[in-house]
Amino acid sequence: MTVHTVTRHDISFDSSGDTCAAWLFLPEGVERPPVVILGHGLGATREMRLDAFAERFAQAGIAAIAFTYRHFGDSTGQPRQLLSIKRQLADWDAAIAHVKTRGDVDGSRLAVWGSSFGGGHAIVVASRHPELRAAVSQCPFTDGLASARALGPVGTMRLLPTVAADVAAQAFGRAPVMLTLAGAPGQKALMTAPDALPGYLALVPEGTTFINEVAARVAPTITSHRPGKAAKRVRMPILFCICDHDSVTPPEETLAYAKTAPKGEIKRYDAGHFDIYLGSAFEAVVADQTDFLARHLEA
């Protein structure tokens, strides 16, 4: 396989009046290449290893756009650190619409790629966009109740006063009350598995600031969110990359949902939720994803 030289461009696109900051990775020597859009997980930005995946895809002749959701990182949107499932799905729609206007990529050969919470978004987006050629859902969040069970009843109860305070703040137009995203076991946070905090921090490159908090009002919407149910409505090929030792998005539920996708392909890895971005686990998963995307995007 030809390994292309890759150039990275800073781009942005509009989403409901705000701006999503993004990178476009273009393979040199390929005229109007197919393209894959990459979105990250819970509170994460594109700097946290999305570039590593995007660069590999572009080396294989597939253009890649890695973007940051509104309200996070260097994308706009007020208040900051607001995690809205509805708005993030709208950001995906905006990214797809933007790709279709570009002359330097082939918007008719388009795929989506999401990881963790974004892996759940990729399933929903694929179910809503039949024009897509393919989708990749990596260590996906598929079932809020399953993830709540992973947090445990005590961990869940610990969040309630902060959630109530933020809901009140929203009602009275005050600044959001924040909740820690990833914490140590026993802390008040959305994720408290032993590998959650070190796993998140390992993805942050030197010189990049990762704000480890979100507006607490998101917690109830996460618990009720079940994007895995959309898998049965995904008509194009979709690759599920499942970590067998996932402490955040339990693999049993993900596997059950993945099996309902009419054209689903399943790959399993001897890895934890955060291992998949680095080292040998990354090398294994990115090779499988590149092969899958090249086949279905005719790269």
Side-chain angles (χ1 to χ4, degrees), residues 80-155:
R80 303 306 295 165
Q81 302 303 116
L82 176 67
L83 203 167
S84 161
I85 294 169
K86 182 178 179 180
R87 291 186 187 202
Q88 291 196 348
L89 289 170
D91 292 345
W92 279 98
D93 292 340
I96 290 171
H98 172 75
V99 165
K100 292 176 181 177
T101 69
R102 298 191 68 93
D104 49 6
V105 297
D106 183 354
S108 70
R109 291 186 291 155
L110 175 59
V112 293
W113 179 105
S115 190
S116 193
F117 206 64
H121 289 337
I123 301 170
V124 175
V125 170
S127 75
R128 295 178 177 179
H129 285 272
E131 75 275 19
L132 297 175
R133 291 281 190 95
V136 176
S137 181
Q138 174 175 285
C139 56
F141 171 95
T142 55
D143 192 299
L145 288 175
S147 291
R149 286 197 298 272
L151 182 62
V154 175

